[in-house]
Amino acid sequence: MNHTQEMEKAMQQSHKMGFAEYERKLENRLDVEKRREKEYEACKHLTTDIDSQIHR
């Protein structure tokens, strides 16, 4: 996968590793993807809460 400098910077800021390290070890990829899934679920819950408050 080709990635840009912006993608590399975001990876470093979010996960404290670059794409090369991410791609090198399966354990790193699994850790990153677990964190992404947790963040996604948290955002879904937050969005649901906000939507329910708006539509009262």
Side-chain angles (χ1 to χ4, degrees):
M1 174 181 157
N2 294 332
H3 58 277
T4 64
Q5 288 181 341
E6 290 82 12
M7 292 168 66
E8 181 72 26
K9 182 178 177 182
M11 186 74 161
Q12 284 287 344
Q13 289 175 341
S14 297
H15 304 292
K16 311 297 187 250
M17 72 178 76
F19 273 100
E21 186 177 352
Y22 170 82
E23 292 175 336
R24 194 174 318 127
K25 292 180 77 179
L26 177 61
E27 186 176 323
N28 288 345
R29 284 181 274 176
L30 292 173
D31 289 343
V32 167
E33 295 309 321
K34 284 178 189 175
R35 274 186 259 139
R36 286 180 176 165
E37 184 68 25
K38 284 182 184 180
E39 290 174 4
Y40 171 73
E41 291 297 327
C43 287
K44 267 186 16 181
H45 290 297
L46 181 61
T47 302
T48 301
D49 291 345
I50 291 171
D51 282 347
S52 68
Q53 290 176 8
I54 290 173
H55 299 294
R56 286 186 178 181

Coordinates of all heavy atoms in Angstrom, one line a residue:
M1 N 0.8 -1.2 0.0 CA 0.0 0.0 0.0 C 0.9 1.2 0.0 O 1.8 1.3 0.8 CB -0.9 0.0 1.2 CG -1.7 1.2 1.4 SD -2.7 1.2 2.9 CE -2.9 2.9 3.2
N2 N 0.6 2.2 -0.9 CA 1.3 3.4 -0.9 C 0.6 4.4 0.1 O -0.6 4.4 0.3 CB 1.2 4.1 -2.3 CG 2.0 3.3 -3.3 OD1 2.9 2.6 -2.9 ND2 1.6 3.4 -4.5
H3 N 1.4 5.1 0.9 CA 0.9 6.0 1.9 C 1.6 7.3 1.7 O 2.8 7.4 1.3 CB 1.0 5.4 3.3 CG 2.4 5.1 3.7 ND1 3.0 3.9 3.4 CD2 3.3 5.8 4.4 CE1 4.2 3.9 3.9 NE2 4.4 5.0 4.5
T4 N 0.9 8.4 2.1 CA 1.4 9.7 2.0 C 2.2 10.1 3.3 O 2.0 9.5 4.3 CB 0.3 10.8 1.7 OG1 -0.6 10.8 2.9 CG2 -0.5 10.4 0.5
Q5 N 2.8 11.3 3.2 CA 3.5 11.8 4.4 C 2.5 12.1 5.5 O 2.7 12.0 6.7 CB 4.3 13.0 4.1 CG 5.6 12.7 3.3 CD 6.4 13.9 3.0 OE1 5.9 15.1 3.0 NE2 7.7 13.7 2.7
E6 N 1.3 12.6 5.1 CA 0.2 13.0 6.0 C -0.3 11.7 6.7 O -0.5 11.7 7.9 CB -0.9 13.7 5.3 CG -0.6 15.1 4.9 CD 0.1 15.1 3.5 OE1 0.2 14.1 2.8 OE2 0.6 16.2 3.2
M7 N -0.4 10.6 6.0 CA -0.8 9.3 6.6 C 0.2 8.8 7.6 O -0.1 8.3 8.6 CB -1.1 8.3 5.5 CG -2.3 8.6 4.6 SD -2.4 7.6 3.1 CE -2.6 6.0 3.8
E8 N 1.5 9.0 7.2 CA 2.6 8.5 8.1 C 2.5 9.4 9.4 O 2.7 8.8 10.5 CB 3.9 8.7 7.4 CG 5.1 8.3 8.2 CD 5.2 6.8 8.4 OE1 4.7 6.0 7.6 OE2 5.8 6.4 9.4
K9 N 2.3 10.7 9.2 CA 2.3 11.6 10.4 C 1.1 11.2 11.3 O 1.2 11.1 12.5 CB 2.2 13.0 10.0 CG 2.2 14.0 11.1 CD 2.1 15.4 10.5 CE 2.0 16.4 11.6 NZ 1.9 17.8 11.1
A10 N 0.0 11.0 10.7 CA -1.2 10.6 11.5 C -1.0 9.3 12.2 O -1.4 9.1 13.4 CB -2.5 10.5 10.6
M11 N -0.4 8.3 11.5 CA -0.1 7.0 12.2 C 0.8 7.2 13.3 O 0.6 6.6 14.4 CB 0.5 6.1 11.1 CG 0.7 4.7 11.6 SD -0.8 3.8 11.7 CE -0.3 2.2 11.7
Q12 N 1.8 8.0 13.2 CA 2.8 8.3 14.3 C 2.1 8.9 15.5 O 2.3 8.6 16.6 CB 3.9 9.2 13.8 CG 5.0 8.5 13.0 CD 5.9 7.6 13.8 OE1 5.9 7.6 15.0 NE2 6.5 6.7 13.1
Q13 N 1.2 9.9 15.2 CA 0.5 10.7 16.3 C -0.5 9.8 17.0 O -0.6 9.8 18.2 CB -0.2 11.9 15.7 CG 0.8 13.0 15.3 CD 0.1 14.2 14.6 OE1 -1.0 14.1 14.2 NE2 0.8 15.3 14.6
S14 N -1.2 9.0 16.2 CA -2.3 8.2 16.8 C -1.8 6.9 17.4 O -2.3 6.5 18.5 CB -3.3 7.8 15.7 OG -3.9 8.9 15.2
H15 N -0.8 6.3 16.9 CA -0.4 4.9 17.3 C 1.0 4.8 17.7 O 1.5 3.7 18.0 CB -0.8 3.9 16.2 CG -2.2 4.0 15.8 ND1 -3.2 3.6 16.6 CD2 -2.8 4.4 14.7 CE1 -4.4 3.7 16.0 NE2 -4.2 4.2 14.8
K16 N 1.8 5.9 17.6 CA 3.2 5.9 18.0 C 4.0 4.9 17.3 O 5.0 4.3 17.8 CB 3.3 5.6 19.6 CG 2.4 6.4 20.4 CD 2.7 7.9 20.4 CE 1.9 8.7 21.4 NZ 0.9 9.5 20.9
M17 N 3.7 4.7 16.0 CA 4.5 3.9 15.1 C 4.2 4.3 13.7 O 3.2 4.8 13.4 CB 4.2 2.4 15.3 CG 2.9 1.9 14.8 SD 2.6 0.1 15.0 CE 2.2 0.1 16.7
G18 N 5.2 4.0 12.8 CA 5.1 4.3 11.4 C 4.5 3.1 10.7 O 4.3 2.0 11.2
F19 N 4.2 3.3 9.4 CA 3.6 2.2 8.6 C 4.5 1.0 8.5 O 4.1 -0.1 8.4 CB 3.2 2.7 7.2 CG 1.8 3.3 7.2 CD1 1.7 4.7 7.2 CD2 0.7 2.5 7.1 CE1 0.4 5.2 7.2 CE2 -0.6 3.1 7.1 CZ -0.7 4.4 7.1
A20 N 5.8 1.3 8.4 CA 6.8 0.2 8.2 C 6.7 -0.8 9.4 O 6.6 -2.0 9.3 CB 8.2 0.7 8.1
E21 N 6.7 -0.2 10.6 CA 6.5 -1.0 11.9 C 5.2 -1.7 11.9 O 5.1 -2.8 12.3 CB 6.8 -0.1 13.1 CG 6.8 -0.9 14.4 CD 7.1 0.0 15.6 OE1 7.5 1.2 15.4 OE2 7.0 -0.5 16.7
Y22 N 4.1 -0.9 11.5 CA 2.8 -1.5 11.5 C 2.7 -2.7 10.6 O 2.1 -3.7 11.0 CB 1.8 -0.4 11.0 CG 0.4 -0.9 10.7 CD1 -0.5 -1.0 11.8 CD2 0.0 -1.1 9.4 CE1 -1.8 -1.4 11.5 CE2 -1.3 -1.5 9.2 CZ -2.2 -1.7 10.2 OH -3.5 -2.1 9.9
E23 N 3.3 -2.6 9.5 CA 3.2 -3.7 8.5 C 4.2 -4.9 8.8 O 3.9 -6.0 8.5 CB 3.6 -3.2 7.1 CG 2.5 -2.3 6.5 CD 2.9 -1.6 5.2 OE1 4.1 -1.6 4.9 OE2 2.0 -1.2 4.5
R24 N 5.2 -4.6 9.6 CA 6.2 -5.6 9.9 C 5.7 -6.7 10.8 O 6.1 -7.9 10.7 CB 7.5 -4.9 10.5 CG 8.7 -5.8 10.5 CD 9.9 -5.1 11.0 NE 10.0 -3.7 10.5 CZ 10.2 -2.6 11.2 NH1 10.3 -2.7 12.5 NH2 10.3 -1.4 10.6
K25 N 5.0 -6.3 11.8 CA 4.6 -7.3 12.9 C 3.1 -7.4 13.0 O 2.4 -6.4 13.1 CB 5.1 -6.9 14.2 CG 6.6 -7.0 14.3 CD 7.1 -6.5 15.7 CE 6.9 -7.7 16.7 NZ 7.4 -7.3 18.0
L26 N 2.6 -8.6 12.9 CA 1.1 -8.9 13.0 C 0.6 -8.4 14.4 O -0.5 -7.8 14.4 CB 0.9 -10.4 12.9 CG -0.6 -10.8 13.1 CD1 -1.5 -10.1 12.0 CD2 -0.7 -12.3 13.0
E27 N 1.4 -8.5 15.4 CA 1.0 -8.1 16.8 C 0.7 -6.6 16.8 O -0.3 -6.1 17.3 CB 2.0 -8.4 17.8 CG 1.6 -8.1 19.2 CD 2.6 -8.5 20.2 OE1 3.3 -9.6 20.0 OE2 2.8 -7.8 21.2
N28 N 1.5 -5.8 16.1 CA 1.3 -4.3 16.0 C 0.0 -4.0 15.2 O -0.8 -3.2 15.7 CB 2.5 -3.7 15.3 CG 3.7 -3.6 16.1 OD1 3.7 -3.9 17.3 ND2 4.8 -3.4 15.4
R29 N -0.2 -4.7 14.1 CA -1.4 -4.5 13.4 C -2.7 -4.8 14.2 O -3.6 -4.1 14.2 CB -1.4 -5.3 12.1 CG -0.5 -4.7 11.0 CD -0.6 -5.6 9.8 NE 0.4 -6.6 10.0 CZ 0.7 -7.6 9.1 NH1 0.0 -7.7 8.0 NH2 1.6 -8.5 9.4
L30 N -2.6 -5.9 14.9 CA -3.8 -6.3 15.7 C -4.0 -5.3 16.8 O -5.2 -4.9 17.1 CB -3.6 -7.7 16.3 CG -3.5 -8.9 15.3 CD1 -3.2 -10.2 16.1 CD2 -4.9 -9.0 14.6
D31 N -3.0 -4.8 17.5 CA -3.1 -3.8 18.5 C -3.8 -2.5 18.0 O -4.7 -1.9 18.5 CB -1.8 -3.4 19.2 CG -1.3 -4.6 20.1 OD1 -2.1 -5.5 20.4 OD2 -0.1 -4.5 20.4
V32 N -3.3 -2.1 16.8 CA -3.8 -0.9 16.2 C -5.2 -1.0 15.8 O -6.1 -0.2 16.1 CB -2.9 -0.4 15.0 CG1 -3.6 0.6 14.1 CG2 -1.6 0.0 15.4
E33 N -5.6 -2.2 15.2 CA -6.9 -2.4 14.8 C -7.9 -2.5 15.9 O -9.0 -2.1 15.9 CB -7.0 -3.6 13.8 CG -6.3 -3.4 12.5 CD -6.6 -2.2 11.8 OE1 -7.8 -1.7 11.7 OE2 -5.7 -1.5 11.2
K34 N -7.4 -3.1 17.0 CA -8.3 -3.2 18.3 C -8.6 -1.8 18.8 O -9.7 -1.5 19.2 CB -7.6 -4.0 19.3 CG -7.6 -5.5 19.1 CD -6.9 -6.2 20.2 CE -6.8 -7.7 19.8 NZ -5.9 -8.4 20.8
R35 N -7.5 -0.9 18.8 CA -7.7 0.5 19.3 C -8.7 1.2 18.3 O -9.6 2.0 18.8 CB -6.4 1.2 19.3 CG -5.7 1.0 20.7 CD -4.5 1.9 20.8 NE -3.4 1.0 20.5 CZ -2.3 1.3 19.8 NH1 -2.2 2.5 19.2 NH2 -1.4 0.4 19.5
R36 N -8.5 1.0 17.0 CA -9.4 1.7 16.1 C -10.9 1.2 16.3 O -11.8 2.0 16.2 CB -9.0 1.3 14.6 CG -7.8 2.1 14.2 CD -7.4 1.7 12.8 NE -6.3 2.5 12.3 CZ -5.5 2.2 11.3 NH1 -5.8 1.2 10.5 NH2 -4.5 3.0 10.9
E37 N -11.1 -0.1 16.5 CA -12.4 -0.6 16.7 C -13.0 0.0 18.0 O -14.2 0.4 18.0 CB -12.4 -2.1 16.9 CG -13.7 -2.8 17.0 CD -14.6 -2.7 15.8 OE1 -14.1 -2.5 14.7 OE2 -15.9 -2.7 15.9
K38 N -12.2 0.1 19.1 CA -12.7 0.7 20.3 C -13.1 2.2 20.1 O -14.2 2.7 20.6 CB -11.7 0.7 21.4 CG -11.5 -0.7 22.0 CD -10.5 -0.7 23.2 CE -10.3 -2.0 23.7 NZ -9.3 -2.0 24.8
E39 N -12.3 2.9 19.4 CA -12.6 4.3 19.1 C -13.8 4.5 18.2 O -14.7 5.3 18.5 CB -11.4 5.0 18.3 CG -10.2 5.2 19.2 CD -9.0 5.7 18.4 OE1 -9.1 6.0 17.1 OE2 -7.9 5.9 19.0
Y40 N -14.0 3.6 17.3 CA -15.2 3.6 16.4 C -16.5 3.3 17.2 O -17.4 4.0 17.1 CB -15.0 2.5 15.3 CG -16.3 2.2 14.5 CD1 -16.7 3.2 13.6 CD2 -17.1 1.1 14.7 CE1 -17.9 3.0 12.8 CE2 -18.2 0.9 14.0 CZ -18.6 1.8 13.1 OH -19.8 1.6 12.4
E41 N -16.4 2.3 18.1 CA -17.6 2.0 19.0 C -17.9 3.2 19.9 O -19.0 3.5 20.1 CB -17.3 0.7 19.8 CG -17.3 -0.5 18.9 CD -18.6 -0.8 18.2 OE1 -19.7 -0.5 18.8 OE2 -18.5 -1.3 17.1
A42 N -16.9 3.8 20.5 CA -17.1 5.0 21.3 C -17.7 6.1 20.6 O -18.6 6.8 21.1 CB -15.7 5.4 22.0
C43 N -17.3 6.4 19.4 CA -17.9 7.4 18.5 C -19.3 7.1 18.2 O -20.2 8.0 18.2 CB -17.0 7.6 17.3 SG -15.5 8.5 17.6
K44 N -19.6 5.8 17.9 CA -21.0 5.4 17.6 C -21.9 5.7 18.8 O -23.0 6.2 18.6 CB -21.0 3.9 17.2 CG -20.9 3.7 15.8 CD -21.1 2.2 15.4 CE -21.8 1.3 16.3 NZ -21.9 -0.1 15.8
H45 N -21.4 5.4 20.0 CA -22.2 5.6 21.2 C -22.4 7.1 21.4 O -23.5 7.5 21.8 CB -21.6 5.0 22.4 CG -21.6 3.5 22.4 ND1 -22.8 2.7 22.4 CD2 -20.6 2.5 22.3 CE1 -22.6 1.5 22.4 NE2 -21.2 1.3 22.3
L46 N -21.4 7.9 21.2 CA -21.5 9.3 21.4 C -22.5 9.9 20.4 O -23.3 10.7 20.8 CB -20.1 9.9 21.2 CG -20.0 11.5 21.4 CD1 -20.4 11.9 22.8 CD2 -18.6 11.9 21.1
T47 N -22.4 9.5 19.1 CA -23.3 10.0 18.1 C -24.7 9.6 18.5 O -25.7 10.4 18.3 CB -22.9 9.4 16.7 OG1 -21.6 9.7 16.5 CG2 -23.8 9.9 15.7
T48 N -25.0 8.4 18.9 CA -26.3 8.0 19.3 C -26.8 8.8 20.5 O -28.0 9.2 20.4 CB -26.3 6.5 19.7 OG1 -25.8 5.7 18.6 CG2 -27.7 6.0 20.1
D49 N -26.0 9.1 21.5 CA -26.4 9.9 22.6 C -26.8 11.3 22.1 O -27.8 11.9 22.6 CB -25.3 10.0 23.6 CG -25.1 8.7 24.4 OD1 -26.0 7.8 24.3 OD2 -24.0 8.5 25.0
I50 N -25.9 11.9 21.3 CA -26.2 13.3 20.8 C -27.5 13.3 20.0 O -28.3 14.2 20.1 CB -25.0 13.8 20.0 CG1 -23.8 14.0 20.9 CG2 -25.4 15.1 19.2 CD1 -22.5 14.3 20.2
D51 N -27.7 12.3 19.1 CA -28.9 12.3 18.3 C -30.1 12.2 19.2 O -31.1 12.8 18.9 CB -28.8 11.1 17.3 CG -28.0 11.3 16.1 OD1 -27.6 12.5 15.9 OD2 -27.7 10.3 15.4
S52 N -30.1 11.4 20.2 CA -31.2 11.2 21.1 C -31.5 12.5 21.8 O -32.7 12.8 22.1 CB -31.0 10.1 22.1 OG -30.0 10.4 23.0
Q53 N -30.5 13.3 22.2 CA -30.7 14.6 22.8 C -31.3 15.6 21.9 O -32.1 16.4 22.3 CB -29.4 15.1 23.4 CG -28.9 14.2 24.6 CD -27.6 14.7 25.2 OE1 -27.1 15.8 24.7 NE2 -27.0 13.9 26.1
I54 N -30.9 15.5 20.6 CA -31.4 16.5 19.6 C -32.8 16.3 19.3 O -33.6 17.2 19.2 CB -30.5 16.4 18.3 CG1 -29.1 17.0 18.6 CG2 -31.2 17.2 17.2 CD1 -28.1 16.8 17.5
H55 N -33.2 15.0 19.3 CA -34.6 14.7 18.8 C -35.6 14.5 20.0 O -36.6 13.8 19.8 CB -34.5 13.4 18.0 CG -33.7 13.5 16.7 ND1 -34.1 14.4 15.7 CD2 -32.5 13.0 16.4 CE1 -33.2 14.3 14.8 NE2 -32.2 13.5 15.1
R56 N -35.3 15.1 21.1 CA -36.3 15.1 22.2 C -37.5 15.9 21.9 O -37.6 16.8 21.3 CB -35.6 15.5 23.5 CG -34.6 14.6 24.0 CD -34.2 15.0 25.4 NE -33.2 14.0 25.9 CZ -32.6 14.1 27.0 NH1 -32.8 15.2 27.8 NH2 -31.8 13.2 27.4

